[in-house]
Amino acid sequence: MKYVSTRGQAPSLDFAEVTLAGLASDGGLYLPQEWPQFSPEEIRAMRGLPYPELAARVMQPFVGDCLTPDRLRELTEKAYERFAHKAVTPLVQLNEQQWVLELFHGPTLAFKDVALQMLGLLFEEFLSRSGGNLTIVGATSGDTGSAAIDAVAGLDNVEIFMLHPKGRVSDVQRRQMTTVRAPNIHNIAVEDASFDDAQAMVKRIFADETVIAKHRIGAVNSINWARLMAQVVYYFAASLQLGGPDRKLAFSVPTGNFGDVFAGHVAARMGLPIEQLIVATNVNDILHRALSAGDYSAGKVTPTAAPSMDIQVSSNFERLLFDVGGRDGAALAEQMRGFDANKAMQLTNAQREGAAALFTSARADEHDTAQALRWAYEQCGELIDPHTAIGLHAALQAEIDPSVPVVTLATAHPSKFRDAVEQATGCRPALPARIGDLFSREESYVSLSGTYEAVRDHILENAA
Ligand SMILES: *Cc1c(COP(=O)(O)O)cnc(C)c1O
């Protein structure tokens, strides 16, 4: 399997190379050259498989010759053994039509664990073959940082520098990052910065000659293809439990960087019957405007009760535009240059029609979010988190034939956002036991002024 860049200029890579590369050298994102296909018989034969085995079946065509089927099975077994539920991603029924797919049973309580536990093992596997070290630099509004740190803590040839905007992540999120004491973990709190400021610094690091001349810089956010690949699996898992491939399903996905919902698009491309993918946004609704009116224009970020979705520029949307817009890298590179200059662009007709074949969208404000949270608790006895509530709001509003199950992806455990949950429902969700003594462990992080130079120099001085 070969991977190509959405901007058409970077060399094509194999799976091992694409996993270590992150962003393509032309500024684009990597995608498989063509989509692997499963026939209905092949999908039917996956029914009843344990999750790690299903994961290996779904991922194998993407991995190509880079891992043998046996080795891939060993890695998926290991990646999912720390999940607190045997099913890894269990389904919960809310009413006749509505279901919730719980993706938060991993070590750090958000769906990011499903992909990052696997990605950490892939880094280790491929680096041990090629030799050398990987220096990961990332920015987080909370969930990616904790999941990535958990996944790579203690690895020999990977180190991680994780930037978070000081004072703008929740206590649980910060402690999940800063109480992990391993020599390869470096937490940086950036003062007077938003998540967007921290993210902009990371992008500069990737292009800074003084850094990349000395260090191989890797990515753990969803620009990394391997993360999306691991997320395709749970669309299959949900479908197989609800009658697939002989019955269509709709999915409602709380969306920020468009990674999770793009994995649903990949599942559909591979032959999984999907009726509709609902892109659920909060008031930071650039994707809703893009999908409903073709207007992809970034505004200012408004903080909400669902901080992991407070994003204005969704990196992975570029992958969709490429895939449904004719796979023309040169044209897309031109279009993205226009977006970088103006922070706005119009989708082409081909892009709009291609997206509309599978995607719809909806937007929830803070009132809608609290109302959906209350509905789940009072009508169904389920506590959900604010991100999931945005997805559920969209699912309840969608016009979908009553015979089609609608699955909302539950992206975080309610205890990770317990203040917002308590405010809406009056019930304060307890932290699960696997979090341990999070609030009595010692924290370790440096605070740096919000200048790029301060952050870069800290990385240069401390990277191995
Ligand atoms: C990251 C995250 C999202 C958004 O996922 P994308 O793949 O960026 O669209 C939604 N909910 C939670 C809880 C998250 O951590």
Side-chain angles (χ1 to χ4, degrees):
M1 172 67 73
K2 280 287 175 192
Y3 290 83
V4 297
S5 165
T6 52
R7 299 195 189 178
Q9 293 297 309
S12 62
L13 303 180
D14 70 13
F15 178 70
E17 293 166 330
V18 92
T19 299
L20 296 177
L23 203 66
S25 60
D26 59 4
L29 303 173
Y30 277 106
L31 273 186
Q33 199 155 37
E34 71 266 334
W35 298 114
Q37 298 291 313
F38 289 128
S39 68
E41 297 74 53
E42 286 170 313
I43 296 173
R44 240 173 256 129
M46 297 176 190
R47 279 187 191 149
L49 291 179
Y51 192 92
E53 197 165 336
L54 175 68
R57 290 259 189 116
V58 173
M59 293 183 203
Q60 186 69 55
F62 293 112
V63 166
D65 299 334
C66 292
L67 292 169
T68 64
D70 285 348
R71 186 63 188 142
L72 180 58
R73 258 306 290 288
E74 285 168 15
L75 294 181
T76 57
E77 287 288 349
K78 192 161 177 209
Y80 299 115
E81 74 186 359
R82 286 174 65 208
F83 279 63
H85 199 291
K86 274 273 173 273
V88 181
T89 61
L91 265 175
V92 171
Q93 186 163 19
L94 295 182
N95 65 19
E96 288 76 14
Q97 189 175 22
Q98 301 290 334
W99 300 73
V100 165
L101 185 66
E102 294 185 346
L103 303 176
F104 52 67
H105 292 280
T108 72
L109 311 183
F111 85 97
K112 307 287 201 292
D113 288 323
V114 179
L116 281 164
Q117 288 290 312
M118 187 70 196
L119 186 62
L121 298 178
L122 292 171
F123 282 153
E124 200 178 21
E125 177 84 10
F126 295 141
L127 285 170
S128 73
R129 288 183 201 170
S130 65
N133 296 310
L134 189 64
T135 301
I136 294 164
V137 182
T140 184
S141 56
D143 294 331
T144 292
S146 47
I149 285 171
D150 184 279
V152 306
L155 294 188
D156 285 336
N157 35 20
V158 179
E159 61 185 340
I160 185 164
F161 291 84
M162 187 53 67
L163 282 58
H164 71 266
K166 187 167 189 174
R168 302 207 192 181
V169 299
S170 78
D171 285 4
V172 174
Q173 289 177 319
R174 190 191 68 250
R175 285 185 157 273
Q176 282 181 322
M177 296 190 278
T178 59
T179 64
V180 177
R181 307 302 291 275
N184 66 333
I185 305 295
H186 304 272
N187 276 290
I188 301 172
V190 188
E191 292 166 2
D192 300 319
S194 67
F195 166 71
D196 284 336
D197 299 331
Q199 176 76 54
M201 290 181 191
V202 170
K203 288 194 174 151
R204 278 182 74 179
I205 295 276
F206 273 82
D208 188 326
E209 290 294 337
T210 65
V211 182
I212 58 180
K214 289 206 201 102
H215 302 282
R216 181 185 202 166
I217 305 294
V220 284
N221 58 18
S222 55
I223 60 174
N224 191 311
W225 164 258
R227 256 187 74 172
L228 303 193
M229 173 191 72
Q231 291 169 206
V232 175
V233 177
Y234 47 70
Y235 287 89
F236 278 83
S239 167
L240 287 162
Q241 283 183 65
L242 293 177
D246 302 304
R247 187 191 195 193
K248 282 189 164 188
L249 257 58
F251 290 92
S252 179
V253 186
T255 297
N257 230 352
F258 206 77
D260 208 4
V261 75
F262 187 76
H265 168 79
V266 174
R269 285 286 206 228
M270 294 173 78
L272 193 71
I274 295 181
E275 170 81 15
Q276 199 177 113
L277 290 171
I278 306 164
V279 176
T281 75
N282 60 24
V283 293
N284 298 295
D285 63 351
I286 179 169
L287 288 169
H288 175 54
R289 285 181 282 115
L291 290 166
S292 57
D295 165 32
Y296 191 74
S297 58
K300 241 177 100 71
V301 174
T302 306
T304 73
S308 303
M309 293 163 62
D310 293 344
I311 282 182
Q312 283 287 353
V313 179
S314 296
S315 310
N316 286 294
F317 199 53
E318 178 169 343
R319 284 188 161 114
L320 181 73
L321 297 181
F322 179 72
D323 198 43
V324 303
R327 287 198 161 224
D328 182 342
L332 188 59
E334 184 64 37
Q335 196 179 9
M336 295 309 298
R337 269 195 293 278
F339 177 74
D340 285 340
N342 307 315
K343 296 291 164 244
M345 68 187 190
Q346 291 295 316
L347 304 198
T348 66
N349 285 339
Q351 288 166 340
R352 285 189 69 174
E353 283 160 23
L358 190 57
F359 289 88
T360 61
S361 63
R363 166 195 200 270
D365 62 21
E366 295 288 88
H367 173 78
D368 300 326
T369 307
Q371 204 172 35
L373 233 154
R374 255 193 311 278
W375 182 84
Y377 185 58
E378 288 168 6
Q379 304 298 314
C380 318
E382 289 293 327
L383 271 184
I384 59 173
D385 100 289
H387 303 79
T388 308
I390 291 166
L392 182 60
H393 169 81
L396 292 170
Q397 291 226 316
E399 285 166 21
I400 294 174
D401 188 282
S403 68
V404 175
V406 184
V407 177
T408 296
L409 303 197
T411 49
H413 192 284
S415 68
K416 208 164 183 179
F417 301 94
R418 43 204 183 143
D419 293 341
V421 174
E422 184 177 16
Q423 213 168 47
T425 64
C427 178
R428 189 167 180 79
L431 282 165
R434 66 183 179 281
I435 287 304
D437 56 348
L438 189 67
F439 280 86
S440 56
R441 291 204 295 265
E442 199 184 326
E443 292 190 74
S444 161
Y445 62 95
V446 297
S447 291
L448 297 178
S449 79
T451 68
Y452 172 71
E453 288 72 20
V455 170
R456 181 198 57 197
D457 292 348
H458 179 81
I459 293 172
L460 285 172
E461 280 159 27
N462 291 281

mmCIF file of all heavy atoms in Angstrom, residues 6 49 55 71 78 88 115 123-124 134 143 197 220-221 233 247 259 342 349 376 398 456 459:
data_model
loop_
_atom_site.group_PDB
_atom_site.id
_atom_site.type_symbol
_atom_site.label_atom_id
_atom_site.label_comp_id
_atom_site.label_asym_id
_atom_site.label_seq_id
_atom_site.Cartn_x
_atom_site.Cartn_y
_atom_site.Cartn_z
ATOM 1 N N THR A 6 -2.088 14.967 -0.230
ATOM 2 C CA THR A 6 -3.223 15.720 -0.785
ATOM 3 C C THR A 6 -2.773 16.896 -1.640
ATOM 4 O O THR A 6 -3.578 17.475 -2.354
ATOM 5 C CB THR A 6 -4.099 16.287 0.346
ATOM 6 O OG1 THR A 6 -3.252 16.999 1.263
ATOM 7 C CG2 THR A 6 -4.841 15.185 1.082
ATOM 8 N N LEU A 49 -16.042 -11.337 16.063
ATOM 9 C CA LEU A 49 -14.609 -11.340 16.373
ATOM 10 C C LEU A 49 -14.337 -10.464 17.598
ATOM 11 O O LEU A 49 -14.946 -9.403 17.750
ATOM 12 C CB LEU A 49 -13.797 -10.776 15.192
ATOM 13 C CG LEU A 49 -13.717 -11.600 13.913
ATOM 14 C CD1 LEU A 49 -12.881 -10.841 12.882
ATOM 15 C CD2 LEU A 49 -13.111 -12.964 14.196
ATOM 16 N N ALA A 55 -9.751 -5.461 14.687
ATOM 17 C CA ALA A 55 -8.854 -4.342 14.376
ATOM 18 C C ALA A 55 -7.771 -4.791 13.397
ATOM 19 O O ALA A 55 -7.474 -4.098 12.416
ATOM 20 C CB ALA A 55 -8.233 -3.795 15.659
ATOM 21 N N ARG A 71 2.205 -10.334 13.461
ATOM 22 C CA ARG A 71 2.767 -9.208 14.225
ATOM 23 C C ARG A 71 1.698 -8.148 14.478
ATOM 24 O O ARG A 71 1.591 -7.596 15.575
ATOM 25 C CB ARG A 71 3.965 -8.614 13.466
ATOM 26 C CG ARG A 71 4.706 -7.541 14.232
ATOM 27 C CD ARG A 71 5.323 -8.085 15.509
ATOM 28 N NE ARG A 71 5.881 -7.028 16.343
ATOM 29 C CZ ARG A 71 5.813 -7.013 17.669
ATOM 30 N NH1 ARG A 71 5.222 -7.989 18.328
ATOM 31 N NH2 ARG A 71 6.353 -6.013 18.359
ATOM 32 N N LYS A 78 -1.999 -5.980 22.312
ATOM 33 C CA LYS A 78 -1.328 -5.185 23.328
ATOM 34 C C LYS A 78 -1.968 -3.800 23.451
ATOM 35 O O LYS A 78 -2.147 -3.271 24.549
ATOM 36 C CB LYS A 78 0.163 -5.057 22.958
ATOM 37 C CG LYS A 78 1.008 -4.506 24.057
ATOM 38 C CD LYS A 78 2.492 -4.811 23.846
ATOM 39 C CE LYS A 78 3.290 -4.141 24.965
ATOM 40 N NZ LYS A 78 4.644 -3.786 24.537
ATOM 41 N N VAL A 88 -14.029 -3.249 24.362
ATOM 42 C CA VAL A 88 -13.204 -2.092 24.013
ATOM 43 C C VAL A 88 -14.081 -0.874 23.704
ATOM 44 O O VAL A 88 -13.953 0.169 24.349
ATOM 45 C CB VAL A 88 -12.215 -2.382 22.861
ATOM 46 C CG1 VAL A 88 -11.361 -1.145 22.539
ATOM 47 C CG2 VAL A 88 -11.281 -3.533 23.255
ATOM 48 N N ALA A 115 -6.785 5.250 19.238
ATOM 49 C CA ALA A 115 -5.759 5.332 18.197
ATOM 50 C C ALA A 115 -4.361 5.485 18.772
ATOM 51 O O ALA A 115 -3.408 4.909 18.258
ATOM 52 C CB ALA A 115 -6.068 6.500 17.262
ATOM 53 N N PHE A 123 5.154 3.354 16.554
ATOM 54 C CA PHE A 123 6.405 4.129 16.625
ATOM 55 C C PHE A 123 7.545 3.219 17.073
ATOM 56 O O PHE A 123 8.620 3.183 16.482
ATOM 57 C CB PHE A 123 6.278 5.274 17.640
ATOM 58 C CG PHE A 123 5.508 6.481 17.161
ATOM 59 C CD1 PHE A 123 4.852 7.302 18.074
ATOM 60 C CD2 PHE A 123 5.465 6.829 15.817
ATOM 61 C CE1 PHE A 123 4.156 8.425 17.660
ATOM 62 C CE2 PHE A 123 4.771 7.956 15.393
ATOM 63 C CZ PHE A 123 4.111 8.748 16.326
ATOM 64 N N GLU A 124 7.296 2.496 18.162
ATOM 65 C CA GLU A 124 8.325 1.648 18.749
ATOM 66 C C GLU A 124 8.778 0.590 17.737
ATOM 67 O O GLU A 124 9.970 0.365 17.524
ATOM 68 C CB GLU A 124 7.731 0.970 19.987
ATOM 69 C CG GLU A 124 8.738 0.452 20.956
ATOM 70 C CD GLU A 124 8.063 -0.158 22.188
ATOM 71 O OE1 GLU A 124 6.865 -0.541 22.125
ATOM 72 O OE2 GLU A 124 8.740 -0.259 23.208
ATOM 73 N N LEU A 134 12.732 9.527 17.688
ATOM 74 C CA LEU A 134 11.681 10.408 17.199
ATOM 75 C C LEU A 134 11.371 11.412 18.308
ATOM 76 O O LEU A 134 11.172 11.036 19.463
ATOM 77 C CB LEU A 134 10.434 9.577 16.878
ATOM 78 C CG LEU A 134 9.303 10.289 16.147
ATOM 79 C CD1 LEU A 134 9.762 10.721 14.747
ATOM 80 C CD2 LEU A 134 8.084 9.375 16.034
ATOM 81 N N ASP A 143 -7.121 16.553 25.527
ATOM 82 C CA ASP A 143 -7.267 15.106 25.387
ATOM 83 C C ASP A 143 -6.148 14.438 24.590
ATOM 84 O O ASP A 143 -5.684 13.364 24.938
ATOM 85 C CB ASP A 143 -8.615 14.778 24.742
ATOM 86 C CG ASP A 143 -9.769 15.160 25.652
ATOM 87 O OD1 ASP A 143 -9.576 15.132 26.885
ATOM 88 O OD2 ASP A 143 -10.846 15.494 25.135
ATOM 89 N N ASP A 197 -2.632 29.465 19.548
ATOM 90 C CA ASP A 197 -1.270 30.007 19.616
ATOM 91 C C ASP A 197 -0.264 28.870 19.775
ATOM 92 O O ASP A 197 0.780 28.848 19.114
ATOM 93 C CB ASP A 197 -1.135 30.966 20.815
ATOM 94 C CG ASP A 197 -2.077 32.158 20.715
ATOM 95 O OD1 ASP A 197 -2.408 32.552 19.575
ATOM 96 O OD2 ASP A 197 -2.488 32.678 21.770
ATOM 97 N N VAL A 220 1.659 13.481 16.673
ATOM 98 C CA VAL A 220 0.664 12.604 17.297
ATOM 99 C C VAL A 220 -0.759 13.102 17.113
ATOM 100 O O VAL A 220 -1.694 12.462 17.548
ATOM 101 C CB VAL A 220 0.904 12.416 18.812
ATOM 102 C CG1 VAL A 220 2.058 11.468 19.061
ATOM 103 C CG2 VAL A 220 1.117 13.751 19.504
ATOM 104 N N ASN A 221 -0.926 14.269 16.482
ATOM 105 C CA ASN A 221 -2.320 14.660 16.248
ATOM 106 C C ASN A 221 -2.827 14.014 14.969
ATOM 107 O O ASN A 221 -2.127 13.229 14.332
ATOM 108 C CB ASN A 221 -2.519 16.172 16.328
ATOM 109 C CG ASN A 221 -1.641 16.904 15.346
ATOM 110 O OD1 ASN A 221 -1.133 16.316 14.406
ATOM 111 N ND2 ASN A 221 -1.462 18.183 15.570
ATOM 112 N N VAL A 233 -11.830 1.178 12.678
ATOM 113 C CA VAL A 233 -12.233 -0.123 13.226
ATOM 114 C C VAL A 233 -13.562 -0.056 13.969
ATOM 115 O O VAL A 233 -14.431 -0.921 13.814
ATOM 116 C CB VAL A 233 -11.125 -0.673 14.149
ATOM 117 C CG1 VAL A 233 -11.544 -1.974 14.792
ATOM 118 C CG2 VAL A 233 -9.820 -0.837 13.374
ATOM 119 N N ARG A 247 -27.534 -4.212 6.969
ATOM 120 C CA ARG A 247 -28.388 -3.122 7.402
ATOM 121 C C ARG A 247 -27.520 -1.874 7.482
ATOM 122 O O ARG A 247 -26.378 -1.928 7.939
ATOM 123 C CB ARG A 247 -28.916 -3.477 8.794
ATOM 124 C CG ARG A 247 -29.952 -2.574 9.360
ATOM 125 C CD ARG A 247 -30.119 -2.955 10.817
ATOM 126 N NE ARG A 247 -31.310 -2.412 11.414
ATOM 127 C CZ ARG A 247 -31.500 -2.413 12.738
ATOM 128 N NH1 ARG A 247 -30.596 -2.952 13.539
ATOM 129 N NH2 ARG A 247 -32.588 -1.900 13.257
ATOM 130 N N GLY A 259 -11.030 14.386 12.201
ATOM 131 C CA GLY A 259 -10.343 13.109 12.091
ATOM 132 C C GLY A 259 -11.288 11.937 12.316
ATOM 133 O O GLY A 259 -11.345 10.994 11.511
ATOM 134 N N ASN A 342 -6.341 33.976 3.055
ATOM 135 C CA ASN A 342 -7.575 34.724 3.348
ATOM 136 C C ASN A 342 -8.368 34.188 4.527
ATOM 137 O O ASN A 342 -9.358 34.780 4.919
ATOM 138 C CB ASN A 342 -8.503 34.691 2.122
ATOM 139 C CG ASN A 342 -7.806 35.154 0.865
ATOM 140 O OD1 ASN A 342 -7.117 36.162 0.904
ATOM 141 N ND2 ASN A 342 -7.945 34.414 -0.228
ATOM 142 N N ASN A 349 -18.035 22.844 -6.759
ATOM 143 C CA ASN A 349 -19.264 22.055 -6.873
ATOM 144 C C ASN A 349 -19.006 20.574 -6.663
ATOM 145 O O ASN A 349 -19.789 19.882 -6.019
ATOM 146 C CB ASN A 349 -19.922 22.272 -8.239
ATOM 147 C CG ASN A 349 -20.597 23.626 -8.295
ATOM 148 O OD1 ASN A 349 -20.917 24.213 -7.253
ATOM 149 N ND2 ASN A 349 -20.798 24.132 -9.508
ATOM 150 N N ALA A 376 -30.437 12.739 27.968
ATOM 151 C CA ALA A 376 -29.824 11.411 28.124
ATOM 152 C C ALA A 376 -29.939 10.939 29.574
ATOM 153 O O ALA A 376 -30.208 9.767 29.839
ATOM 154 C CB ALA A 376 -28.353 11.449 27.696
ATOM 155 N N ALA A 398 -31.728 14.880 13.392
ATOM 156 C CA ALA A 398 -31.569 14.431 12.003
ATOM 157 C C ALA A 398 -32.837 13.749 11.510
ATOM 158 O O ALA A 398 -33.546 13.098 12.278
ATOM 159 C CB ALA A 398 -30.388 13.469 11.915
ATOM 160 N N ARG A 456 10.974 27.058 21.443
ATOM 161 C CA ARG A 456 11.952 26.366 20.594
ATOM 162 C C ARG A 456 13.254 26.117 21.340
ATOM 163 O O ARG A 456 13.809 25.022 21.309
ATOM 164 C CB ARG A 456 12.234 27.192 19.334
ATOM 165 C CG ARG A 456 13.237 26.487 18.416
ATOM 166 C CD ARG A 456 13.862 27.427 17.415
ATOM 167 N NE ARG A 456 14.517 28.533 18.094
ATOM 168 C CZ ARG A 456 14.865 29.665 17.497
ATOM 169 N NH1 ARG A 456 14.610 29.850 16.221
ATOM 170 N NH2 ARG A 456 15.448 30.637 18.173
ATOM 171 N N ILE A 459 13.023 23.282 23.749
ATOM 172 C CA ILE A 459 13.064 21.969 23.077
ATOM 173 C C ILE A 459 14.491 21.637 22.649
ATOM 174 O O ILE A 459 14.987 20.530 22.887
ATOM 175 C CB ILE A 459 12.092 21.956 21.866
ATOM 176 C CG1 ILE A 459 10.652 22.056 22.369
ATOM 177 C CG2 ILE A 459 12.297 20.703 21.013
ATOM 178 C CD1 ILE A 459 9.615 22.237 21.287
#
